[in-house]
């Protein structure tokens, strides 16, 4: 334990002790007073100012320490270094992949943020209201619609990369007779609305756009998955971003694969219990906040138990 404390002191600086807690300056918010509480025995940390917290001190070491600090900690913890050895190849093409794709929004795109909407616009706004989407959401997500052309009578949800360029959009029909989604001929290997995400905080991964609008700091994977080749996965690893996984109930195996992949690379994962809901989109924002506040951390042994229970 003293050896681990020595590594933390190298990274975080001086500290004082209160019972089992060691109190450092917070490396996240850099508050001038020591407010970053570390418990080596329980392997947890929490800042009492910015509320940054976690159940793996190695996340702090990997985020702020040197390679020597990381290696020393892993030796003390008796854990393999497979994830570290693969980082170089993982990020070789990340920047190129993340910045190459841009798309044009539909020619007939009209914003739903206008004060005066035509009859079609009012119809779209009414549909969104029925899905629990208010004017603030419409403004935040830059939602629009098309009154003519290929995407006529569809709600348009644009996506913007970190430079503010459109890189994708979701076109959702408001009638049951049409194909539900009609999207552009472009790769879905993008970070949807990367412009508005904060990777220094916990990211919520959800299935679809309506799920994302009910959650916080959230990104939809649009029916796809998370793999080592996805730009979203690479950015999560680069920033060591904690993940709250909130996929649909019928995406159990997809969720299982994503959890295993994230844990393999040392990412802290929590999973939302949907309770009686089929997906996040069915919830109110307040309900999502309630459930997310009690979401449990995922451990490797939990995945093993889940696999065994399915086999039996």
């Amino acid at each position: 334990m003293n050896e681990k404390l020595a590594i933390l002191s190298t990274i975080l600086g001086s500290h004082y002790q209160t019972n089992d807690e060691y109190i450092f300056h917070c490396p996240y918010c850099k508050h001038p007073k020591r407010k970053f509480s570390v418990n080596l025995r329980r392997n947890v940390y929490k800042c009492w100012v910015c509320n940054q917290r976690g159940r793996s001190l190695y996340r702090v070491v990997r985020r702020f320490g040197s390679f020597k600090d990381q290696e020393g900690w892993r030796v003390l913890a008796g854990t393999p270094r497979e994830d570290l050895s693969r980082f170089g190849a993982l990020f070789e093409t990340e920047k190129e992949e993340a910045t190459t794709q841009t798309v044009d929004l539909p020619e007939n795109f009209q914003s739903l943020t206008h004060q005066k909407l035509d009859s079609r616009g009012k119809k779209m706004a009414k549909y969104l209201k029925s899905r629990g989407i208010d004017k603030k959401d419409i403004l935040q997500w830059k939602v629009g619609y098309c009154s003519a052309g290929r995407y006529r009578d569809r709600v348009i949800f644009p996506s913007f990369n970190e430079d503010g360029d459109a890189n994708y959009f979701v076109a959702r029909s408001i009638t049951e007779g049409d194909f539900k989604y009609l999207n552009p001929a472009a790769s879905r290997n993008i970070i949807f609305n990367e412009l508005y995400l904060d990777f220094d905080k916990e990211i919520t991964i959800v299935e679809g756009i309506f799920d994302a609008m009910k959650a916080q700091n959230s990104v939809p994977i649009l029916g796809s998955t998370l793999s080592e080749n996805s730009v979203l996965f690479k950015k999560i690893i680069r920033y060591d971003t904690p993940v709250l996984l909130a996929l649909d109930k019928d995406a159990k195996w997809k969720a299982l694969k994503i959890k295993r992949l994230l844990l393999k690379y040392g990412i802290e994962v929590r999973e939302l219990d949907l309770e009686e809901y089929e997906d996040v989109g069915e919830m109110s924002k307040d309900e999502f906040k309630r459930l997310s506040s009690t979401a449990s951390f995922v451990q490797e042994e939990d995945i093993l138990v889940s696999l065994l229970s399915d086999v039996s």
Side-chain angles (χ1 to χ4, degrees), residues 192-207:
F192 198 94
N193 268 343
E194 182 180 11
L195 182 64
Y196 306 116
L197 292 170
D198 185 352
F199 282 85
D200 286 326
K201 298 179 179 178
E202 183 181 65
I203 292 286
T204 301
I205 295 179
V206 295
E207 283 282 357

Side-chain angles (χ1 to χ4, degrees), residues 2 39 61 77 82 117 144 160-161 168 175 184 193 207 240 242 272 278:
N2 289 336
N39 189 309
V61 175
E82 177 186 9
L117 298 171
F160 301 95
N161 63 24
Y168 201 74
T175 61
N193 268 343
E207 283 282 357
D240 195 24
L272 194 77
E278 292 300 317

